[in-house]
């Protein structure tokens, strides 16, 4: 077994307007969380199979764009359309021109997508469950069922989810959870964003079913929990062209490393480097592999709290020390 399967219920068609000299430059790409994860997985040399639903005019346009990404695309013909957006970046910021969410998937489409994902996963080492573009696209319970069945067959399950989908996946248990502090705040799992509160939330997520937890914090060092140890991940601060897609690149880097037998700390280094390099580019989920590997060597991982000497501390003590920093 090798490679990674990415569950992408409904990819996006992205249309971005940029400047090219004095003329507008219009870019069409496949996008969305799972696509950006897949793109970085391919960049890092992983064999990737994407399982998705493609329908409508947007789906017809997406198909060749996805196949050009260097991954294997397995898809269900959808009766509705995929989502899409038009963003204007001619002023160096993203201005939303128009956005259209994907249509909800029909029951038979959900069944086909589920069976397709399960079948493809039996030939892979790991599966990333990514979220759809739109709350109504797919029922949250699909994530619980998929996570349970994938773990029952011995697959490593990585999720980058929030809200009801995260709660559903945790019911079945996951091997790695990647989430941002903003998402935890929006879900009500955080009422404040200080380090102590985040550490407490990480332990709660572990108790709910996540074996390992990674929380990204925008420009602040990410935090990770594994086997009762909390670590802080620090990367060189690079100049950002676009911060979108950094978290998805982080997830991809961690997953690639773990499928190759790396330690969790080494996986965190590769993930953090992939996310850091991604922000220097306009292409989401992209990066130069040589740059990523060089930045990886500069990533620092330190136990939390920093004076930690090997004695395992309780979640309450970790939180208390973090609040007093």
């Amino acid at each position: 077994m090798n490679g990674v399967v990415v569950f992408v219920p409904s990819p996006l068609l992205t249309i971005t307007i940029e400047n090219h000299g004095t003329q507008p430059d219009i870019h069409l790409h496949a996008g969305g969380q799972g696509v950006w994860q897949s793109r970085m997985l391919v960049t890092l040399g992983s064999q990737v199979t994407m399982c998705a639903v493609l329908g409508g005019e947007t789906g017809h346009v997406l198909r060749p764009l996805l196949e050009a990404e260097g991954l294997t695309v397995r898809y269900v013909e959808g009766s509705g359309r995929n989502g899409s957006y038009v963003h204007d970046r001619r002023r160096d910021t993203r201005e939303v021109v128009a956005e259209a969410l994907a249509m909800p998937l029909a029951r038979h489409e959900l069944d086909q997508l589920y069976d397709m994902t399960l079948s493809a996963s039996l030939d892979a080492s790991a599966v990333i469950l990514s979220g759809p573009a739109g709350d109504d696209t797919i029922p949250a319970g699909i994530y619980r069922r998929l996570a349970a069945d994938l773990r029952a067959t011995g697959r490593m399950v990585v999720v980058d989810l929030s809200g009801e989908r995260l709660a559903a996946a945790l019911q079945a248990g996951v091997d790695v959870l990647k989430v941002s502090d903003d998402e935890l705040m929006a879900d009500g799992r955080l009422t404040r964003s200080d380090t102590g509160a985040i550490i407490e939330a990480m332990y709660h997520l572990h108790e709910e079913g996540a074996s390992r937890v990674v929380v990204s914090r925008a420009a602040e060092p990410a935090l990770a929990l594994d086997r009762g140890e909390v670590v802080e991940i620090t990367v060189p601060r690079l100049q950002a062209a676009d911060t979108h897609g950094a978290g998805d690149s982080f997830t991809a880097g961690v997953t690639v490393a773990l499928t190759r037998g790396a330690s969790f700390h080494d996986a965190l280094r590769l993930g953090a480097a992939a996310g850091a390099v991604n922000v220097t580019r306009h292409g989401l989920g992209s990066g130069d592999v040589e740059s990523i590997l060089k930045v990886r060597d500069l990533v620092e991982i330190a136990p939390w709290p920093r004076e930690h000497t090997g004695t395992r501390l309780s979640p309450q003590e970790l939180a208390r020390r973090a609040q007093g920093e």
Side-chain angles (χ1 to χ4, degrees):
M1 293 184 297
N2 52 40
V4 179
V5 167
V6 186
F7 176 70
V8 190
S10 186
L12 286 169
L13 174 64
T14 72
I15 303 172
T16 309
I17 309 169
E18 298 183 352
N19 281 322
H20 185 72
T22 60
Q23 299 295 320
D25 193 16
I26 300 176
H27 298 262
L28 273 70
H29 292 287
Q33 183 186 51
V35 173
W36 298 324
Q37 292 164 345
S38 299
R39 186 173 295 145
M40 182 55 72
L41 287 166
V42 171
T43 295
L44 294 173
S46 182
Q47 297 178 18
V48 182
T49 300
M50 175 186 293
C51 296
V53 176
L54 301 176
E57 291 181 354
T58 44
H60 287 302
V61 175
L62 277 168
R63 197 170 306 156
L65 292 175
L66 288 169
E67 291 170 346
E69 294 276 359
L71 48 88
T72 299
V73 182
R74 299 183 63 173
Y75 65 91
V76 174
E77 290 273 4
S79 56
R81 66 165 188 272
N82 287 81
S84 58
Y85 68 64
V86 180
H87 288 180
D88 191 338
R89 289 199 309 203
R90 284 175 291 180
R91 297 175 181 83
D92 292 329
T93 59
R94 282 184 178 268
E95 296 181 15
V96 177
V97 178
E99 292 183 334
L101 296 178
M103 298 178 68
L105 302 183
R107 180 182 60 81
H108 72 278
E109 295 165 356
L110 290 171
D111 287 345
Q112 291 179 57
L113 177 62
Y114 193 99
D115 291 344
M116 176 191 298
T117 304
L118 188 60
S119 175
S121 299
L122 295 178
D123 297 319
S125 299
V127 183
I128 298 178
L129 302 182
S130 69
D135 289 338
D136 298 327
T137 305
I138 185 171
I142 293 290
Y143 290 89
R144 176 189 56 77
R145 293 172 49 215
L146 261 180
D149 287 349
L150 293 169
R151 284 167 64 86
T153 60
R155 303 313 96 168
M156 180 173 67
V157 177
V158 180
V159 302
D160 190 344
L161 301 168
S162 60
E164 293 182 355
R165 297 179 188 87
L166 170 57
L170 290 174
Q171 289 177 16
V174 301
D175 295 284
V176 181
L177 162 63
K178 156 65 180 64
V179 67
S180 72
D181 58 346
D182 287 342
E183 289 169 328
L184 293 177
M185 190 74 73
D187 288 350
R189 293 177 179 273
L190 276 179
T191 56
R192 61 186 195 279
S193 59
D194 61 85
T195 305
I198 293 172
I199 289 173
E200 282 193 89
M202 291 167 69
Y203 273 96
H204 287 309
L205 291 164
H206 172 67
E207 291 166 0
E208 286 185 56
S211 297
R212 291 161 163 167
V213 182
V214 182
V215 178
S216 59
R217 301 191 291 170
E220 296 298 315
L223 297 167
L225 169 66
D226 178 35
R227 296 184 177 89
E229 178 191 40
V230 175
V231 297
E232 185 180 64
I233 306 119
T234 304
V235 299
R237 185 166 295 185
L238 306 178
Q239 294 298 304
D242 193 334
T243 59
H244 292 81
D248 300 320
S249 295
F250 196 128
T251 301
V254 169
T255 304
V256 167
L258 291 177
T259 61
R260 295 172 180 169
S263 69
F264 189 50
H265 281 195
D266 284 344
L268 291 172
R269 288 187 179 92
L270 183 61
V277 171
N278 176 84
V279 305
T280 68
R281 303 166 62 93
H282 288 98
L284 305 188
S286 66
D288 173 70
V289 66
E290 183 177 355
S291 297
I292 292 171
L293 296 179
K294 288 181 177 179
V295 172
R296 177 192 60 182
D297 295 337
L298 302 176
V299 175
E300 297 181 1
I301 295 182
W304 185 268
R306 295 179 183 86
E307 70 272 17
H308 184 48
T309 58
T311 302
R312 183 163 295 178
L313 303 176
S314 69
Q316 294 77 17
E317 176 62 14
L318 282 168
R320 185 188 65 77
R321 294 196 182 192
Q323 291 163 7
E325 64 173 330

PDB file of all heavy atoms in Angstrom, residues 200-221:
ATOM      1  N   GLU A 200      -6.035  23.555  26.622  1.00  0.00           N
ATOM      2  CA  GLU A 200      -7.190  22.865  27.208  1.00  0.00           C
ATOM      3  C   GLU A 200      -8.093  22.308  26.118  1.00  0.00           C
ATOM      4  O   GLU A 200      -8.575  21.170  26.213  1.00  0.00           O
ATOM      5  CB  GLU A 200      -7.977  23.830  28.096  1.00  0.00           C
ATOM      6  CG  GLU A 200      -7.355  24.081  29.448  1.00  0.00           C
ATOM      7  CD  GLU A 200      -8.327  24.780  30.393  1.00  0.00           C
ATOM      8  OE1 GLU A 200      -9.077  24.065  31.092  1.00  0.00           O
ATOM      9  OE2 GLU A 200      -8.340  26.021  30.397  1.00  0.00           O
ATOM     10  N   ALA A 201      -8.353  23.097  25.084  1.00  0.00           N
ATOM     11  CA  ALA A 201      -9.205  22.643  23.980  1.00  0.00           C
ATOM     12  C   ALA A 201      -8.578  21.446  23.268  1.00  0.00           C
ATOM     13  O   ALA A 201      -9.287  20.509  22.854  1.00  0.00           O
ATOM     14  CB  ALA A 201      -9.433  23.784  23.001  1.00  0.00           C
ATOM     15  N   MET A 202      -7.258  21.438  23.119  1.00  0.00           N
ATOM     16  CA  MET A 202      -6.573  20.322  22.466  1.00  0.00           C
ATOM     17  C   MET A 202      -6.763  19.032  23.254  1.00  0.00           C
ATOM     18  O   MET A 202      -7.006  17.970  22.675  1.00  0.00           O
ATOM     19  CB  MET A 202      -5.083  20.650  22.307  1.00  0.00           C
ATOM     20  CG  MET A 202      -4.808  21.761  21.309  1.00  0.00           C
ATOM     21  SD  MET A 202      -3.115  22.389  21.393  1.00  0.00           S
ATOM     22  CE  MET A 202      -2.196  20.995  20.755  1.00  0.00           C
ATOM     23  N   TYR A 203      -6.669  19.121  24.578  1.00  0.00           N
ATOM     24  CA  TYR A 203      -6.882  17.929  25.403  1.00  0.00           C
ATOM     25  C   TYR A 203      -8.327  17.447  25.301  1.00  0.00           C
ATOM     26  O   TYR A 203      -8.593  16.240  25.272  1.00  0.00           O
ATOM     27  CB  TYR A 203      -6.502  18.202  26.852  1.00  0.00           C
ATOM     28  CG  TYR A 203      -5.036  17.956  27.127  1.00  0.00           C
ATOM     29  CD1 TYR A 203      -4.114  19.004  27.100  1.00  0.00           C
ATOM     30  CD2 TYR A 203      -4.554  16.679  27.396  1.00  0.00           C
ATOM     31  CE1 TYR A 203      -2.767  18.780  27.350  1.00  0.00           C
ATOM     32  CE2 TYR A 203      -3.206  16.442  27.642  1.00  0.00           C
ATOM     33  CZ  TYR A 203      -2.318  17.504  27.612  1.00  0.00           C
ATOM     34  OH  TYR A 203      -0.980  17.277  27.860  1.00  0.00           O
ATOM     35  N   HIS A 204      -9.260  18.379  25.227  1.00  0.00           N
ATOM     36  CA  HIS A 204     -10.663  17.975  25.062  1.00  0.00           C
ATOM     37  C   HIS A 204     -10.873  17.269  23.729  1.00  0.00           C
ATOM     38  O   HIS A 204     -11.597  16.261  23.644  1.00  0.00           O
ATOM     39  CB  HIS A 204     -11.578  19.198  25.161  1.00  0.00           C
ATOM     40  CG  HIS A 204     -11.725  19.748  26.546  1.00  0.00           C
ATOM     41  ND1 HIS A 204     -12.055  18.949  27.623  1.00  0.00           N
ATOM     42  CD2 HIS A 204     -11.592  21.012  27.037  1.00  0.00           C
ATOM     43  CE1 HIS A 204     -12.122  19.685  28.726  1.00  0.00           C
ATOM     44  NE2 HIS A 204     -11.834  20.940  28.384  1.00  0.00           N
ATOM     45  N   LEU A 205     -10.241  17.779  22.667  1.00  0.00           N
ATOM     46  CA  LEU A 205     -10.343  17.153  21.350  1.00  0.00           C
ATOM     47  C   LEU A 205      -9.742  15.751  21.370  1.00  0.00           C
ATOM     48  O   LEU A 205     -10.269  14.817  20.745  1.00  0.00           O
ATOM     49  CB  LEU A 205      -9.655  18.013  20.293  1.00  0.00           C
ATOM     50  CG  LEU A 205     -10.354  19.339  19.969  1.00  0.00           C
ATOM     51  CD1 LEU A 205      -9.413  20.274  19.220  1.00  0.00           C
ATOM     52  CD2 LEU A 205     -11.623  19.083  19.147  1.00  0.00           C
ATOM     53  N   HIS A 206      -8.639  15.604  22.102  1.00  0.00           N
ATOM     54  CA  HIS A 206      -8.033  14.275  22.248  1.00  0.00           C
ATOM     55  C   HIS A 206      -8.986  13.323  22.958  1.00  0.00           C
ATOM     56  O   HIS A 206      -9.161  12.167  22.543  1.00  0.00           O
ATOM     57  CB  HIS A 206      -6.720  14.398  23.017  1.00  0.00           C
ATOM     58  CG  HIS A 206      -6.116  13.072  23.393  1.00  0.00           C
ATOM     59  ND1 HIS A 206      -5.623  12.191  22.455  1.00  0.00           N
ATOM     60  CD2 HIS A 206      -5.951  12.468  24.602  1.00  0.00           C
ATOM     61  CE1 HIS A 206      -5.164  11.109  23.064  1.00  0.00           C
ATOM     62  NE2 HIS A 206      -5.356  11.253  24.368  1.00  0.00           N
ATOM     63  N   GLU A 207      -9.621  13.811  24.011  1.00  0.00           N
ATOM     64  CA  GLU A 207     -10.559  12.969  24.758  1.00  0.00           C
ATOM     65  C   GLU A 207     -11.770  12.595  23.905  1.00  0.00           C
ATOM     66  O   GLU A 207     -12.351  11.520  24.072  1.00  0.00           O
ATOM     67  CB  GLU A 207     -11.010  13.691  26.022  1.00  0.00           C
ATOM     68  CG  GLU A 207      -9.902  13.842  27.056  1.00  0.00           C
ATOM     69  CD  GLU A 207     -10.235  14.844  28.156  1.00  0.00           C
ATOM     70  OE1 GLU A 207     -11.350  15.426  28.097  1.00  0.00           O
ATOM     71  OE2 GLU A 207      -9.394  15.043  29.048  1.00  0.00           O
ATOM     72  N   GLU A 208     -12.135  13.458  22.964  1.00  0.00           N
ATOM     73  CA  GLU A 208     -13.279  13.180  22.098  1.00  0.00           C
ATOM     74  C   GLU A 208     -12.958  12.168  21.005  1.00  0.00           C
ATOM     75  O   GLU A 208     -13.874  11.580  20.419  1.00  0.00           O
ATOM     76  CB  GLU A 208     -13.783  14.468  21.445  1.00  0.00           C
ATOM     77  CG  GLU A 208     -14.531  15.402  22.369  1.00  0.00           C
ATOM     78  CD  GLU A 208     -15.100  16.592  21.613  1.00  0.00           C
ATOM     79  OE1 GLU A 208     -15.854  16.381  20.630  1.00  0.00           O
ATOM     80  OE2 GLU A 208     -14.776  17.740  21.984  1.00  0.00           O
ATOM     81  N   GLY A 209     -11.667  11.981  20.685  1.00  0.00           N
ATOM     82  CA  GLY A 209     -11.361  10.974  19.680  1.00  0.00           C
ATOM     83  C   GLY A 209     -10.190  11.238  18.764  1.00  0.00           C
ATOM     84  O   GLY A 209      -9.913  10.428  17.875  1.00  0.00           O
ATOM     85  N   ALA A 210      -9.480  12.357  18.949  1.00  0.00           N
ATOM     86  CA  ALA A 210      -8.329  12.653  18.089  1.00  0.00           C
ATOM     87  C   ALA A 210      -7.047  12.168  18.762  1.00  0.00           C
ATOM     88  O   ALA A 210      -6.677  12.659  19.825  1.00  0.00           O
ATOM     89  CB  ALA A 210      -8.240  14.151  17.821  1.00  0.00           C
ATOM     90  N   SER A 211      -6.365  11.222  18.147  1.00  0.00           N
ATOM     91  CA  SER A 211      -5.120  10.705  18.750  1.00  0.00           C
ATOM     92  C   SER A 211      -4.055  11.791  18.821  1.00  0.00           C
ATOM     93  O   SER A 211      -3.348  11.913  19.823  1.00  0.00           O
ATOM     94  CB  SER A 211      -4.597   9.521  17.928  1.00  0.00           C
ATOM     95  OG  SER A 211      -5.518   8.452  17.949  1.00  0.00           O
ATOM     96  N   ARG A 212      -3.935  12.566  17.753  1.00  0.00           N
ATOM     97  CA  ARG A 212      -2.975  13.673  17.698  1.00  0.00           C
ATOM     98  C   ARG A 212      -3.712  14.916  17.234  1.00  0.00           C
ATOM     99  O   ARG A 212      -4.576  14.841  16.361  1.00  0.00           O
ATOM    100  CB  ARG A 212      -1.827  13.356  16.734  1.00  0.00           C
ATOM    101  CG  ARG A 212      -0.903  12.241  17.221  1.00  0.00           C
ATOM    102  CD  ARG A 212      -0.095  11.657  16.096  1.00  0.00           C
ATOM    103  NE  ARG A 212       1.056  10.896  16.567  1.00  0.00           N
ATOM    104  CZ  ARG A 212       1.777  10.086  15.800  1.00  0.00           C
ATOM    105  NH1 ARG A 212       1.466   9.930  14.520  1.00  0.00           N
ATOM    106  NH2 ARG A 212       2.812   9.441  16.306  1.00  0.00           N
ATOM    107  N   VAL A 213      -3.361  16.055  17.804  1.00  0.00           N
ATOM    108  CA  VAL A 213      -4.044  17.311  17.499  1.00  0.00           C
ATOM    109  C   VAL A 213      -3.017  18.366  17.124  1.00  0.00           C
ATOM    110  O   VAL A 213      -2.008  18.539  17.832  1.00  0.00           O
ATOM    111  CB  VAL A 213      -4.872  17.809  18.701  1.00  0.00           C
ATOM    112  CG1 VAL A 213      -5.610  19.105  18.342  1.00  0.00           C
ATOM    113  CG2 VAL A 213      -5.858  16.740  19.169  1.00  0.00           C
ATOM    114  N   VAL A 214      -3.261  19.072  16.029  1.00  0.00           N
ATOM    115  CA  VAL A 214      -2.424  20.197  15.610  1.00  0.00           C
ATOM    116  C   VAL A 214      -3.326  21.415  15.470  1.00  0.00           C
ATOM    117  O   VAL A 214      -4.350  21.350  14.785  1.00  0.00           O
ATOM    118  CB  VAL A 214      -1.720  19.920  14.269  1.00  0.00           C
ATOM    119  CG1 VAL A 214      -0.815  21.094  13.901  1.00  0.00           C
ATOM    120  CG2 VAL A 214      -0.928  18.618  14.320  1.00  0.00           C
ATOM    121  N   VAL A 215      -2.948  22.511  16.125  1.00  0.00           N
ATOM    122  CA  VAL A 215      -3.713  23.752  16.041  1.00  0.00           C
ATOM    123  C   VAL A 215      -2.821  24.840  15.451  1.00  0.00           C
ATOM    124  O   VAL A 215      -1.789  25.188  16.034  1.00  0.00           O
ATOM    125  CB  VAL A 215      -4.239  24.198  17.419  1.00  0.00           C
ATOM    126  CG1 VAL A 215      -4.987  25.538  17.293  1.00  0.00           C
ATOM    127  CG2 VAL A 215      -5.157  23.137  18.002  1.00  0.00           C
ATOM    128  N   SER A 216      -3.219  25.355  14.287  1.00  0.00           N
ATOM    129  CA  SER A 216      -2.490  26.472  13.684  1.00  0.00           C
ATOM    130  C   SER A 216      -3.039  27.773  14.242  1.00  0.00           C
ATOM    131  O   SER A 216      -4.211  27.874  14.591  1.00  0.00           O
ATOM    132  CB  SER A 216      -2.613  26.436  12.156  1.00  0.00           C
ATOM    133  OG  SER A 216      -3.968  26.494  11.760  1.00  0.00           O
ATOM    134  N   ARG A 217      -2.160  28.804  14.283  1.00  0.00           N
ATOM    135  CA  ARG A 217      -2.539  30.082  14.909  1.00  0.00           C
ATOM    136  C   ARG A 217      -2.079  31.263  14.067  1.00  0.00           C
ATOM    137  O   ARG A 217      -1.476  32.201  14.581  1.00  0.00           O
ATOM    138  CB  ARG A 217      -1.937  30.177  16.312  1.00  0.00           C
ATOM    139  CG  ARG A 217      -2.369  29.075  17.263  1.00  0.00           C
ATOM    140  CD  ARG A 217      -1.956  29.378  18.688  1.00  0.00           C
ATOM    141  NE  ARG A 217      -0.512  29.317  18.886  1.00  0.00           N
ATOM    142  CZ  ARG A 217       0.109  29.734  19.990  1.00  0.00           C
ATOM    143  NH1 ARG A 217      -0.580  30.259  20.984  1.00  0.00           N
ATOM    144  NH2 ARG A 217       1.419  29.614  20.092  1.00  0.00           N
ATOM    145  N   ALA A 218      -2.381  31.220  12.768  1.00  0.00           N
ATOM    146  CA  ALA A 218      -2.013  32.314  11.851  1.00  0.00           C
ATOM    147  C   ALA A 218      -0.518  32.592  11.963  1.00  0.00           C
ATOM    148  O   ALA A 218       0.291  31.710  11.707  1.00  0.00           O
ATOM    149  CB  ALA A 218      -2.858  33.550  12.122  1.00  0.00           C
ATOM    150  N   ALA A 219      -0.139  33.808  12.370  1.00  0.00           N
ATOM    151  CA  ALA A 219       1.277  34.171  12.425  1.00  0.00           C
ATOM    152  C   ALA A 219       1.970  33.638  13.677  1.00  0.00           C
ATOM    153  O   ALA A 219       3.206  33.665  13.768  1.00  0.00           O
ATOM    154  CB  ALA A 219       1.431  35.692  12.362  1.00  0.00           C
ATOM    155  N   GLU A 220       1.201  33.153  14.652  1.00  0.00           N
ATOM    156  CA  GLU A 220       1.790  32.623  15.880  1.00  0.00           C
ATOM    157  C   GLU A 220       2.228  31.170  15.681  1.00  0.00           C
ATOM    158  O   GLU A 220       1.697  30.465  14.816  1.00  0.00           O
ATOM    159  CB  GLU A 220       0.786  32.704  17.024  1.00  0.00           C
ATOM    160  CG  GLU A 220       0.389  34.116  17.408  1.00  0.00           C
ATOM    161  CD  GLU A 220       1.583  34.926  17.907  1.00  0.00           C
ATOM    162  OE1 GLU A 220       2.359  34.388  18.716  1.00  0.00           O
ATOM    163  OE2 GLU A 220       1.744  36.073  17.469  1.00  0.00           O
ATOM    164  N   PRO A 221       3.197  30.686  16.480  1.00  0.00           N
ATOM    165  CA  PRO A 221       3.617  29.293  16.347  1.00  0.00           C
ATOM    166  C   PRO A 221       2.456  28.329  16.560  1.00  0.00           C
ATOM    167  O   PRO A 221       1.608  28.538  17.433  1.00  0.00           O
ATOM    168  CB  PRO A 221       4.671  29.140  17.456  1.00  0.00           C
ATOM    169  CG  PRO A 221       5.181  30.526  17.693  1.00  0.00           C
ATOM    170  CD  PRO A 221       4.014  31.422  17.475  1.00  0.00           C
TER     171      PRO A 221
END
